[in-house]
Amino acid sequence: MDRDDRRRVDDLRTYGQSRAVRWDRYDYREDAVVHLTICADHGVPFADVFVARMVCDSVVKCCELRSYRLFGYCLMPDHLHVLLSPADSGVEVARWLAAFKSFTTHVYFERGGTPPLWHRSAYDHVCRDGETAESVLRYIADNPVRKNLVSDWREWPWTRVFVEI
């Protein structure tokens, strides 16, 4: 790896920074399957049933309002996994994410939550050739199992799957 390549790789690192990696040559409005991981800024705010239900309902509503295809999600006590696609909406993932975070943050603050609710950035993974929505969704759904919160993903109240896995 030459010096220029190393500099480009260093520019993509997100730890310790308030930005997410974005492919500079990728159109985030394309009909592609995207896995978003959105972390809470601090603590475990989604352990609160009201907040958890509000966040889950907001995922569905934001997808409906922006004509996104929602494959599924899993809300953990401190982060959220969402698998979705802009479909033919023409709405960039960043716009979906900003609207979702804005709405949920507003409701959270109205309820007396301590700001901020979300990290400034989020991790996105555009599914590549060979990765199916079903395989990625199975990984997402199994999060509470891997964390020993439940023995089967179907037992976790904050997981919804809209395709067969």
Side-chain angles (χ1 to χ4, degrees):
M1 182 180 289
D2 69 17
R3 186 176 178 177
D4 288 336
D5 287 338
R6 192 177 330 279
R7 187 175 301 124
R8 276 188 228 105
V9 169
D10 288 342
D11 288 343
L12 293 177
R13 291 187 181 142
T14 58
Y15 53 86
Q17 300 177 23
S18 293
R19 64 183 177 87
V21 173
R22 298 289 180 264
W23 292 356
D24 58 350
R25 294 187 187 108
Y26 184 77
D27 182 357
Y28 280 86
R29 293 172 296 203
E30 283 186 14
D31 182 12
V33 179
V34 180
H35 173 194
L36 294 175
T37 304
I38 314 163
C39 295
D41 187 73
H42 59 280
V44 289
F46 314 122
D48 178 285
V49 173
F50 174 86
V51 177
R53 185 172 295 118
M54 179 271 296
V55 168
C56 292
D57 291 346
S58 297
V59 169
V60 174
K61 191 65 170 174
C62 284
C63 284
E64 288 172 356
L65 289 172
R66 284 164 182 74
S67 300
Y68 265 45
R69 178 161 185 215
L70 178 59
F71 295 93
Y73 61 81
C74 178
L75 180 66
M76 298 294 286
D78 63 349
H79 67 281
L80 169 68
H81 293 276
V82 180
L83 190 65
L84 46 68
S85 171
D88 59 0
S89 69
V91 177
E92 286 185 30
V93 172
R95 284 187 53 210
W96 182 94
L97 184 60
F100 169 78
K101 283 179 159 183
S102 176
F103 178 78
T104 53
T105 297
H106 177 76
V107 174
Y108 178 71
F109 291 164
E110 281 184 343
R111 178 144 163 91
T114 305
L117 175 58
W118 302 105
H119 277 189
R120 285 185 55 177
S121 62
Y123 174 78
D124 63 66
H125 171 81
V126 178
C127 296
R128 293 163 177 82
D129 292 340
E131 290 180 306
T132 64
E134 293 79 11
S135 66
V136 176
L137 194 53
R138 178 163 300 285
Y139 169 81
I140 290 170
D142 280 339
N143 255 267
V145 175
R146 285 191 299 275
K147 293 292 185 180
N148 295 316
L149 298 172
V150 291
S151 59
D152 184 276
W153 69 266
R154 292 169 197 87
E155 299 168 0
W156 188 245
W158 312 117
T159 298
R160 295 249 344 247
V161 171
F162 300 100
V163 296
E164 188 69 34
I165 60 171

